[in-house]
Amino acid sequence: MNLQPLKIPAGWSVEWNLLTETDPTEKTIHEFSGSLLLINSPTRLKAIDVCWKLEGDINGFYQLQVIPLLPNFVSKTNEMEYEGLWNSPEVEFKTKNRLELVDKINDLLFHLKPYVDKRILLEPGIVDLPNEAIRQQLMAQGPTENIIRDIINSNHKKLQDLLLDCTEIQKHTVQELGKKGASKGVKNKAKQMLLSKRFRE
């Protein structure tokens, strides 16, 4: 039983590999259970997981998923841990053909773009809890009056930049950010928006 050769570039680490050059038959199907392959990249914040669905079923298929990873710094161990967003896979791929699966894995290993962590952070892996709570409220509810006031009072440039990106934003809010924005970039963005046709009318 030989492991399936893969072209793994720098930046990826193999957590486990039970993917072999064996194809599923009545005699070998017992080998196709659980996760067959898990490869992580802390630089791309991605994981590639391969399993066989359904376990022990000769009529099953390989399922590949690309899972985004959220970095979380653990102060007790002084280490970064990575939380997989298993409910939100970026890529899902199914095939019965092992060689087709291998081609897909090799392609993803070289061409996957890094996951962008949209949370508001104090440092890598350390969430800015108060401002992240405001960001989540903005994403869920849109720019309500209370959320707008919280964002302006936060004096946080990322929050204010996100607010300016909201399609529901009103002219008076853009004007206020043009004068009192948390950074030169926020102020300039607001001033440019005020020159657009949308706000000149």
Side-chain angles (χ1 to χ4, degrees):
M1 182 174 67
N2 297 320
L3 290 178
Q4 173 64 55
L6 297 169
K7 299 175 182 178
I8 302 177
W12 290 92
S13 60
V14 179
E15 296 299 312
W16 59 76
N17 183 9
L18 302 175
L19 184 64
T20 70
E21 293 181 299
T22 304
D23 289 316
T25 65
E26 293 292 348
K27 292 183 178 180
T28 63
I29 191 61
H30 66 278
E31 299 174 14
F32 293 75
S33 63
S35 178
L36 301 175
L37 177 70
L38 182 63
I39 310 176
N40 293 331
S41 174
T43 54
R44 288 183 174 87
L45 295 180
K46 299 281 178 72
I48 297 175
D49 178 74
V50 175
C51 61
W52 180 264
K53 297 283 188 176
L54 297 165
E55 288 191 19
D57 186 349
I58 191 67
N59 296 312
F61 52 87
Y62 293 103
Q63 176 179 277
L64 177 152
Q65 291 184 311
V66 175
I67 306 298
L69 301 176
L70 283 182
N72 293 303
F73 182 75
V74 181
S75 57
K76 288 184 179 180
T77 60
N78 200 36
E79 293 180 348
M80 195 75 77
E81 294 184 353
Y82 297 89
E83 174 190 354
L85 302 180
W86 291 92
N87 292 327
S88 305
E90 181 180 303
V91 176
E92 289 189 284
F93 175 77
K94 299 175 183 179
T95 181
K96 292 178 176 289
N97 187 297
R98 175 175 52 85
L99 296 181
E100 187 178 18
L101 171 70
V102 171
D103 286 343
K104 184 67 173 180
I105 294 171
N106 287 333
D107 180 68
L108 289 170
L109 286 170
F110 281 90
H111 297 113
L112 273 177
K113 294 182 179 179
Y115 173 70
V116 178
D117 187 352
K118 296 180 180 179
R119 300 174 301 174
I120 294 180
L121 306 174
L122 295 170
E123 296 177 29
I126 301 178
V127 177
D128 181 343
L129 293 176
N131 287 319
E132 172 60 12
I134 296 173
R135 185 193 73 84
Q136 291 186 15
Q137 289 177 336
L138 177 65
M139 296 300 102
Q141 303 173 31
T144 66
E145 184 176 339
N146 288 338
I147 292 174
I148 290 172
R149 192 49 44 199
D150 286 343
I151 290 176
I152 291 175
N153 291 338
S154 74
N155 202 35
H156 194 284
K157 61 182 181 180
K158 183 173 180 178
L159 279 175
Q160 293 182 359
D161 190 64
L162 289 171
L163 178 58
L164 287 172
D165 288 338
C166 292
T167 56
E168 308 98 318
I169 193 169
Q170 299 296 312
K171 184 175 181 178
H172 64 87
T173 302
V174 180
Q175 289 173 326
E176 186 170 358
L177 288 173
K179 296 176 181 178
K180 302 178 181 178
S183 68
K184 184 177 180 180
V186 170
K187 292 176 183 177
N188 287 341
K189 182 174 180 177
K191 291 173 183 177
Q192 286 297 317
M193 289 175 64
L194 291 170
L195 295 175
S196 67
K197 183 178 179 181
R198 173 187 171 192
F199 292 109
R200 282 191 286 109
E201 293 178 346

